[in-house]
Amino acid sequence: ATKDEAKKHRYRQKISEYMTRAEDIKKHIEKEKQDGKYHKQIRIEENATGFGYEKLFQEYLTEIVSEVWVEDPYIRHVHQAILQLYNFLRFCEMLVKGPCKVKTIHLLTSYDEGNGRSQQISGLEEIQQSLRNYGVTLNIAFSSSIHDREIRFNNGWMIKIGRGLDYFKKPQGRFSIGYCDFDLRPCHETTVDVFHTKHTKKM
């Protein structure tokens, strides 16, 4: 709004400098991503909401993602009163919706230690069959020594969540807000680390 031409010139110069700096920062971040040096950490506080799977993963699920690796030792029937299989199913639903074109999901988990092993296996097989109807293959493997929790995409992104996919609290009831929409579900405190690597290992 100023009429002073000298001030206009200075303002334009400053704006140009800020735009150039922003572009340089953007290029630097992109280079770090490609060099595998990028690291982003998200701290989810106790009882925080707004951290559904889409919130955490959608940014990294680009259209070229066709293969996903999930390592989580607790994809079981029941663990601390939370249905792990439903968490994994919800994650798979997000992958099916896109915008990525996932064709293969590799799951590495551990067997249920109690009487729920048969339910665990039948539940995973049901998810496997359901995914097949959408053209997605689910490969399931079990390990008794797995401890790490991480999710990898074949575009180079790797996400490590301290609690794995089970960072949501049990809903207060089947008809309470947050039961269906994970964005509205209170969370346990956990840390999410995001990395980029050129060479994503395969299971």
Side-chain angles (χ1 to χ4, degrees):
T2 182
K3 303 291 185 180
D4 190 325
E5 289 299 324
K7 284 185 178 179
K8 284 184 180 181
H9 177 72
R10 286 200 302 273
Y11 292 152
R12 289 193 187 102
Q13 191 175 23
K14 283 292 182 185
I15 290 171
S16 178
E17 288 174 3
Y18 290 142
M19 293 296 288
T20 302
R21 185 180 177 190
E23 284 299 316
D24 288 342
I25 292 172
K26 184 178 177 181
K27 288 177 183 177
H28 176 71
I29 291 174
E30 285 301 319
K31 185 178 185 303
E32 285 202 332
K33 288 179 180 179
Q34 293 305 315
D35 289 344
K37 298 175 184 177
Y38 179 85
H39 177 209
K40 176 181 179 182
Q41 187 172 83
I42 302 167
R43 184 76 179 180
I44 300 178
E45 301 293 341
E46 185 77 5
N47 291 317
T49 57
F51 289 96
Y53 293 147
E54 284 85 355
K55 171 76 172 180
L56 288 189
F57 299 110
Q58 205 72 274
E59 179 181 350
Y60 313 104
L61 287 170
T62 58
E63 291 184 1
I64 65 171
V65 173
S66 60
E67 200 165 4
V68 178
W69 292 264
V70 179
E71 292 186 10
D72 193 323
Y74 298 114
I75 307 297
R76 301 175 178 177
H77 179 57
V78 178
H79 174 67
Q80 295 181 348
I82 294 185
L83 297 177
Q84 300 294 312
L85 290 173
Y86 282 121
N87 287 345
F88 180 64
L89 175 60
R90 181 67 188 84
F91 177 77
C92 291
E93 288 175 338
M94 177 193 65
L95 296 177
V96 169
K97 286 194 298 184
C100 55
K101 309 297 183 195
V102 172
K103 296 298 180 186
T104 309
I105 302 171
H106 304 274
L107 172 64
L108 179 63
T109 189
S110 59
Y111 280 115
D112 194 301
E113 296 173 352
N115 299 323
R117 180 175 296 193
S118 61
Q119 291 175 308
Q120 175 197 21
I121 294 173
S122 64
L124 287 173
E125 288 176 347
E126 189 172 339
I127 295 173
Q128 187 179 50
Q129 177 58 47
S130 184
L131 283 168
R132 195 174 293 131
N133 296 333
Y134 287 87
V136 180
T137 300
L138 172 61
N139 296 321
I140 305 166
F142 296 93
S143 170
S144 59
S145 59
I146 178 178
H147 295 291
D148 292 340
R149 300 171 176 88
E150 67 180 45
I151 294 167
R152 304 188 300 275
F153 307 134
N154 67 323
N155 61 352
W157 287 109
M158 177 168 62
I159 296 96
K160 294 193 174 190
I161 309 174
R163 297 183 62 97
L165 292 173
D166 175 27
Y167 57 88
F168 298 105
K169 289 195 169 183
K170 181 184 179 182
Q172 293 182 348
R174 289 186 299 167
F175 300 102
S176 60
I177 296 297
Y179 185 86
C180 298
D181 190 337
F182 279 22
D183 279 335
L184 299 173
R185 181 87 66 88
C187 299
H188 292 286
E189 181 178 345
T190 193
T191 301
V192 182
D193 289 287
V194 182
F195 305 91
H196 187 279
T197 175
K198 286 183 177 179
H199 306 289
T200 303
K201 69 176 182 177
K202 296 185 179 182
M203 298 188 296

